[in-house]
């Protein structure tokens, strides 16, 4: 009995540490980009649709960003969630938590091999499970890509340590899974190579040959991403900006910190963080384990800091480095007496911060109101806080924040669009049209501006102008079902039922769960005398409504 308890105890501690940190976030809804990537994404709502995520066109048209993104395996996981829980945020959050637990479990197994002891390994898993920096990965559904890639990273380290049979091919397979989850997985071979160089025996260069298939795969992936991006992504401000971001990430990875939704660079100068990391690596050079862990942190952050990667200082990008930080912390405490005081301080800070983070991420309104106290002039914060008030039916409260957000270059078009929606809610259609026009003027490629301006124009009887707006929106975003539904309504209003039916069908092909388009199909079929087809659509519609009701 005692042996069974001893075996179960480490796993139970990992689970309890995770629940203590993240359980408050389970009751929250989708946050920020979760709506675009998950809730409003028709391509996760059926297995036939989610397979399009493996094609380059999906990422070019549905997720157009600077540089390139390719994360089909993450989308497959969203489809699994949708299959079992429809759009219930709890299902997606539990999956994120389960993946994080799996990563912590693999970390525990690796730490047990690395440290040669059960207790420090369990402590490492628990520290990592509740690391404050990882709140974005677990609480924001869209950020599970790093967790999935980290599982591949840790699994590979276990295989390397055990010198598993057919190791070269297994490492290449794990790297492929990581790269299909998120682009930052390209740093995985760097960590594996570092481990092989330090622990590969008397001939480390020979041991590195185990990575040749993985490196060949990495070269092919780089060529594919070059093709997907249409060339080399912009390098932003150059080498100095990359160094600043790299240093900022090093700081974020190792220090306890509150949520960082504004993507702010920490106060400590980034270059000083790089110098400190270099000094620590040099000081630990004679201790191979400590050297491996200390070097892992900056090495795994090289991709996260790339200027073309997107918004700077995203906490979730530090996931791989936080694994090493947890390992290093416990290892230093285990082997260096003076580190024990540091651990006590760190644990106390962790408890305070993780409790605070859980409350903030429990509700999106609390998140953005907290972010506003941190950065009252940040365009992203102002935009999202305005959206929160809009969603709660408070357009008059949203308007001041959205107006301030219009001055932000990256958020301005979205802010004008949301101001238009707020004015539309209040029945101020002239004002709404003006705001939608400003959104389009600020960003002529902004799909939402055309879609929403077309809606207001149609309600005011300006049908041809509405059609022109919707066709412009369709050209910008050919994979969005709502614009096809709107064009169907336009042609139905003209009595052109055959054309209307084609547009409604296109909408439900893109999103089979689009209830409004199916309702419109029922009406059109009946007007065309196609009663059997109308009954079939009614049956599908009843199933959709039943599923939606069951998921609430």
């Amino acid at each position: 009995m005692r042996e069974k308890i001893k075996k179960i105890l480490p796993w139970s501690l990992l689970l309890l540490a995770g629940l203590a940190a993240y359980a408050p976030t389970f009751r929250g809804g989708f946050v920020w980009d979760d709506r675009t990537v998950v809730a409003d994404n028709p391509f996760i709502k059926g297995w036939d649709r989610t397979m399009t995520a493996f094609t380059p066109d999906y990422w070019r048209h549905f997720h157009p960003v600077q540089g390139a993104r390719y994360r089909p395996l993450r989308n497959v996981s969203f489809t699994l969630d949708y299959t079992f829980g429809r759009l219930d945020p709890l299902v997606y959050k539990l999956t994120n938590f389960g993946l994080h637990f799996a990563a912590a479990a693999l970390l525990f197994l690796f730490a047990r091999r690395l440290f040669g002891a059960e207790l420090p390994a369990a402590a490492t898993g628990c520290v990592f499970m509740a690391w404050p920096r990882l709140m974005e990965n677990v609480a924001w559904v869209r950020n599970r890509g790093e967790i999935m890639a980290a599982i591949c990273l840790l699994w590979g380290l276990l295989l390397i340590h055990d010198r598993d049979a057919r190791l070269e091919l297994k490492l290449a397979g794990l790297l492929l899974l990581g790269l299909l989850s998120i682009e930052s997985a390209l740093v995985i071979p760097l960590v594996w190579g570092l481990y092989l160089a330090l622990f590969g025996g008397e001939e480390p260069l020979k041991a590195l040959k185990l990575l040749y298939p993985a490196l060949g795969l990495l070269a092919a992936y780089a060529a594919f991403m070059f093709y997907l991006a249409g060339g080399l992504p912009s390098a932003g401000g150059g080498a100095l900006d990359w160094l600043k971001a790299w240093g900022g990430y090093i700081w974020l990875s190792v220090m306890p910190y509150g949520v960082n939704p504004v993507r702010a660079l920490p106060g400590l100068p980034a270059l000083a963080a790089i110098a400190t990391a270099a000094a620590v690596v040099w000081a630990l050079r004679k201790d191979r384990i400590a050297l491996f862990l200390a070097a892992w942190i900056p090495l795994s952050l090289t991709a996260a800091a790339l200027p073309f990667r997107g918004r700077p200082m995203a906490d979730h990008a530090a996931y791989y480095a936080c694994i090493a930080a947890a390992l290093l912390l416990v290892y230093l405490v285990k082997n260096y007496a003076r580190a024990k005081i540091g651990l006590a301080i760190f644990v106390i800070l962790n408890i305070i911060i993780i409790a605070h983070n859980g409350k903030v991420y429990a509700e999106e309104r609390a998140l953005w109101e907290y972010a506003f106290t941190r950065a009252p002039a940040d365009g992203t914060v102002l935009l999202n806080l305005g959206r929160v008030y809009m969603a709660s039916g408070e357009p008059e409260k949203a308007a001041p924040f959205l107006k301030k957000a219009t001055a932000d270059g990256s958020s301005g078009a979205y802010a004008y669009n949301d101001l238009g929606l707020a004015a539309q809610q209040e029945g101020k259609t002239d004002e709404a049209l003006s705001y939608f026009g400003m959104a389009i003027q600020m960003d002529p490629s902004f799909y939402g501006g055309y879609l929403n301006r077309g809606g207001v124009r149609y309600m005011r009887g300006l049908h041809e102008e509405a059609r022109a707006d919707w066709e412009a929106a369709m050209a910008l975003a050919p994979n969005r079902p709502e614009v096809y539904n709107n064009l169907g309504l336009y042609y139905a209003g003209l009595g052109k039922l055959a054309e209307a039916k084609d547009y409604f069908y296109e909408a439900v092909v893109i999103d089979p769960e689009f209830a409004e388009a199916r309702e419109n199909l029922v009406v059109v079929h009946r007007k065309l005398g196609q009663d059997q087809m109308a009954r079939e659509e009614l049956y599908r519609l009843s199933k959709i409504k039943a599923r939606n009701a069951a998921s609430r």
Side-chain angles (χ1 to χ4, degrees):
M1 185 66 180
R2 184 175 296 177
E3 285 299 316
K4 287 184 178 179
I5 294 174
K6 190 177 179 180
K7 287 181 179 180
I8 295 172
L9 185 60
W11 308 103
S12 302
L13 291 174
L14 290 183
L15 184 60
L16 288 173
L19 289 173
Y22 300 109
T25 70
F26 293 163
R27 67 176 186 270
F30 290 119
V31 179
W32 201 357
D33 292 342
D34 287 351
R35 292 187 182 85
T36 304
V37 177
V38 179
D40 297 334
N41 185 355
F43 293 91
I44 69 162
K45 300 174 182 177
W47 288 104
D48 55 332
R49 303 299 298 161
T50 204
M51 290 301 110
T52 61
F54 286 88
T55 65
D57 283 347
Y58 169 83
W59 297 94
R60 286 187 180 131
H61 295 302
F62 199 75
H63 291 286
V65 293
Q66 184 184 14
R69 287 180 182 170
Y70 189 69
R71 306 171 184 180
L73 201 58
R74 185 196 65 175
N75 277 34
V76 169
S77 74
F78 292 153
T79 302
L80 272 171
D81 288 342
Y82 184 82
T83 301
F84 293 104
R86 316 309 289 175
L87 292 177
D88 183 356
L90 177 62
V91 175
Y92 296 80
K93 288 174 181 286
L94 287 176
T95 300
N96 274 31
F97 178 79
L99 289 168
H100 183 52
F101 177 79
L106 288 170
L107 176 59
F108 163 67
L109 294 175
F110 176 67
R112 190 166 62 182
R113 288 164 170 78
L114 191 66
F115 298 158
E118 187 98 356
L119 184 59
T124 302
C126 290
V127 167
F128 175 71
M129 195 69 186
W131 197 271
R133 179 64 51 217
L134 306 179
M135 183 63 73
E136 274 196 11
N137 296 91
V138 183
W140 288 12
V141 174
R142 68 177 291 274
N143 291 333
R144 72 172 55 158
E146 281 92 358
I147 309 178
M148 296 169 70
I151 289 172
C152 299
L153 165 63
L154 288 163
W155 197 343
L157 285 172
L158 284 170
L159 294 178
I160 292 170
H161 183 278
D162 295 344
R163 287 296 191 272
D164 212 70
R166 303 177 68 86
L167 181 57
E168 301 96 324
L169 295 179
K170 289 180 180 178
L171 292 177
L174 285 170
L175 178 60
L176 177 61
L177 292 175
L179 292 171
L180 291 176
S181 300
I182 196 164
E183 310 80 46
S184 62
L186 60 88
V187 302
I188 288 176
L190 298 180
V191 179
W192 289 345
L194 178 64
Y195 186 79
L196 284 167
L198 291 172
F199 302 98
E202 296 180 0
E203 299 182 69
L205 291 178
K206 186 176 180 180
L208 286 171
K209 291 181 180 180
L210 293 169
L211 293 180
Y212 282 180
L215 294 176
L217 174 65
L218 198 60
Y221 176 80
F224 172 74
M225 294 301 286
F226 180 87
Y227 160 74
L228 184 63
L232 285 173
S234 166
L240 184 59
D241 282 350
W242 179 82
L243 282 172
K244 287 179 179 178
W246 192 35
Y249 271 116
I250 292 170
W251 173 254
L252 288 179
S253 300
V254 299
M255 293 302 295
Y257 201 71
V259 290
N260 188 31
V262 297
R263 307 296 195 242
L265 187 70
L268 187 74
L271 297 179
I274 296 174
T276 303
V280 169
V281 169
W282 177 258
L284 298 172
R285 66 190 183 280
K286 294 182 180 179
D287 185 330
R288 281 192 305 167
I289 293 178
L291 176 62
F292 166 61
L293 299 176
W296 173 346
I297 294 172
L299 197 63
S300 65
L301 291 168
T302 50
L306 289 174
F308 63 75
R309 198 182 160 279
R311 191 179 290 109
M313 304 318 301
D315 288 9
H316 60 85
Y319 195 89
Y320 317 133
C322 290
I323 298 172
L327 279 163
L328 182 61
L329 176 69
V330 175
Y331 180 77
L332 291 177
V333 169
K334 175 178 177 287
N335 293 280
Y336 298 88
R338 285 177 291 181
K340 289 179 171 58
I341 298 174
L343 176 64
I345 296 171
F346 183 86
V347 168
I348 292 169
L349 287 173
N350 260 21
I351 292 170
I352 295 170
I353 293 169
I354 205 71
H356 169 263
N357 290 2
K359 289 180 181 178
V360 169
Y361 276 86
E363 184 187 0
E364 189 173 14
R365 183 168 183 152
L367 171 64
W368 294 114
E369 287 178 342
Y370 166 74
F372 181 69
T373 65
R374 290 268 314 279
D378 185 87
T380 300
V381 173
L382 293 167
L383 175 66
N384 282 282
L385 189 53
R387 286 177 170 177
V388 165
Y389 292 137
M390 284 275 293
S392 60
E394 302 173 273
E396 70 291 340
K397 196 170 183 178
F401 294 100
L402 295 173
K403 286 177 180 177
K404 289 180 182 177
T406 58
D408 185 87
S410 60
S411 303
Y414 294 93
Y416 277 124
N417 182 67
D418 288 353
L419 280 167
L421 293 173
Q424 190 177 349
Q425 277 187 17
E426 297 179 279
K428 301 174 182 177
T429 54
D430 286 336
E431 196 174 319
L433 284 173
S434 176
Y435 280 129
F436 293 139
M438 290 178 188
I440 294 167
Q441 185 177 358
M442 193 167 194
D443 182 2
S445 65
F446 181 46
Y447 159 84
Y450 293 101
L451 178 73
N452 294 319
R453 187 173 69 176
V456 175
R457 283 175 163 175
Y458 191 82
M459 287 190 298
R460 296 185 65 170
L462 304 172
H463 293 171
E464 289 306 311
E465 291 88 339
R467 178 186 60 80
D469 273 340
W470 288 335
E471 287 180 348
M474 183 173 64
L476 290 168
N479 294 320
R480 299 302 294 263
E482 58 271 16
V483 70
Y484 291 95
N485 183 63
N486 289 356
L487 284 165
L489 290 171
Y490 164 78
Y491 284 105
L494 294 177
K496 298 180 178 181
L497 299 181
E499 289 93 334
K501 184 177 72 171
D502 289 343
Y503 278 108
F504 293 140
Y505 264 124
E506 189 63 34
V508 299
V509 166
I510 295 172
D511 185 358
E513 302 290 307
F514 193 2
E516 184 182 343
R518 291 207 180 273
E519 288 174 350
N520 293 328
L521 273 173
V522 171
V523 173
V524 169
H525 282 314
R526 283 175 173 167
K527 287 183 178 180
L528 290 170
Q530 300 167 340
D531 293 337
Q532 177 60 33
M533 298 179 79
R535 284 192 291 271
E536 290 173 2
E537 285 301 331
L538 270 175
Y539 175 75
R540 295 187 187 103
L541 184 61
S542 66
K543 290 289 187 182
I544 292 169
K545 289 182 176 180
R547 286 194 293 267
N548 291 341
S551 66
R552 289 193 184 101

